[in-house]
Amino acid sequence: MTALLEAIDLTVSFGDRAGWFRPGQQVQAVRAVSLALQPGEVLAVVGESGSGKTTLARALLGMVPIAGGTVRFDGCDTAAMTAAQTLAMRRVVQMVFQDPFGSLDPRLPVGAIIAEPLDIHRIGTKASRRERVAELLDLVGLSPDAAGRYPHQFSGGQRQRIAFARALAPGPRAIIADEPLSALDVSIQSQMLNLAAALRARLGLAYLIISHDLAAVHHVADRVATMYLGRIVEVASVDALFSTPAHPYTAALLAAVPRIGTGKRVPGDALGGDIPSPLAPPPGCAFHPRCPAATSLCATEAPALRALRAGHDVACHHPLGAA
Amino acid sequence: MKLGPAHDRVEVIAGLDISLSAGRTLGVVGESGCGKSMTALAIMGLAPKPHAIGGELRFAGQDLRAMPDDARRQLRGAEMAMIFQEPMTALNPVVPVGVQIGEMLIVHEGASDADAARAAVALLERVGIADPARRARASPHELSGGMRQRVMIAMAIACKPRLLIADEPTTALDVSVQAQILDLLLELQRDTGMAMIFISHNLGVVSAVADDIMVMYAGRAVETGPAQLVLTAPAHPYTAGLIATLPDIGHRQKILPVIEGSPVNPRNRPPGCAFAPRCKLVIPDCRAAVPPMVALGPSQRAACIRVAA
């Protein structure tokens, strides 16, 4: 099966030119990442802030320049695509952002916001677009009269539904969602999770979800990739990753998720330290300064991402449960 | 408590009873607009003006509302302190963090500059910052989010307060750093015996630190009780709904239970029980009068006529 969207050895770096008083610096936000989103699949990317997960999503969509490697869409190298092909790709891969207050134009009525992708991609006639907007509003659980109102008249959850409707407008095959829940109230998050699941079942959508909410990821994802300092350190099916994490970083993240009904925390088992600066990544495995299982090998040699078993890849010299 | 000018006042908190003893943590849970932060600000004497506060507010037997502003200011920072969600907006961006911590001791305890500087380094070490002497000279923007939150905690505990109010202190942090900060607060409480009010929308986080819980909805308390009891055997339909809607690792459901609708703003609070429009158990009587808090056992209380009956 051809992957819908695929990164091969993808590297993204940000840099500034040397100034008068300082040398130029290059930061590799994404380092040699290979990851594929299959049609109809829900793939989640998790990791702490600064791990490069948002940059990876943006690079897949061509929103940031690529320093190395390739991005393939439906098997075609996106760097070699014509403008028309790029536009076609952007029609079928849509994005939903974290903040529904910042991502909707406050001066446009909701109907115009949702119809905008239809205008851009010249889909349908004026009348058919109006019909499509009503259909989309219904699909995301809003009433048709919402089309005439403005974003500020809606709550955060309703705005995220509007953002969803806009993403669905041109009939995408995949939606890339960057922290789609974190700005929403707790009781609204479950409504959105159910909506995303219902839309997937109905439209056969693939999702690439960027999230730090591991419980939500566990609920929706088929596969999960853990990122640390720009690299993928583990990829596995959601069940394998949550029940038998192989990378100590994944295990530490899972252990840190506060859960209900387990009683008060006993201080002492938190993962120490912060994610290091990507300006000065540690030598060897980037996680070794915080890793409870680190050895001298980890400090000198970066582990490659390799298959631990079928469908479970890990980049660790001493994967958990391997011995 | 009512907020806003006299002709347009909104009752943001209504009929709240809280009592907290030394060494205990009260977790305050609710969604945006439920009044949890306003409760904290009212206790601190920092509620936005103009406002009108009714009822009583006592701290260690003193009537806070009768206290002159000066005395209240002395109390704040020394006896009761508060930490916020986003340390970057609470810290002065152009003053080294060590100076900001030392300032607390100069203002409240009359410490000399040199003593304050020394104490600031010790406090930074106490909150788990490596290389504290060097970090004391850093500006807030040079520190990571987790370290900034540690700095704010150092400021808050500088004068050994008897009450620490933490308003969503870990919401802006990653889970791993969140665990570190929760551990730090629990250790500090164990060592100093301070009382804590811990405000969060995250039930898991509250579960990790709280002894008792108060669940708020639209400015009112809807359920109170021991944390583990409220979280494992919730009585109020809102509490039960909130807990049921959370996806849980290890227990995957095809469709999550939901609470329909969105949280109500105190300005548009419906008559009777504010949760009635979203409640699955609603009966006509729910809309008739605000349900009183009813004891459901030795320690759990809920404001719902359906569970009390």
Side-chain angles (χ1 to χ4, degrees), chain A residues 257-298:
Chain A
V257 177
R259 295 175 66 182
I260 290 177
T262 47
K264 245 175 115 163
R265 252 190 98 75
V266 180
D269 51 358
L271 176 67
D274 278 325
I275 194 165
S277 162
L279 278 172
C285 170
F287 186 59
H288 87 265
R290 300 172 75 187
C291 184
T295 60
S296 54
L297 175 66
C298 305

Side-chain angles (χ1 to χ4, degrees), chain A residues 11-14 26-32 50 52 67 229-231 278-279 281:
Chain A
T11 297
V12 179
S13 43
F14 295 112
Q26 285 281 321
V27 179
Q28 288 196 327
V30 172
R31 297 155 184 263
L229 213 66
R231 289 185 194 276
L279 278 172

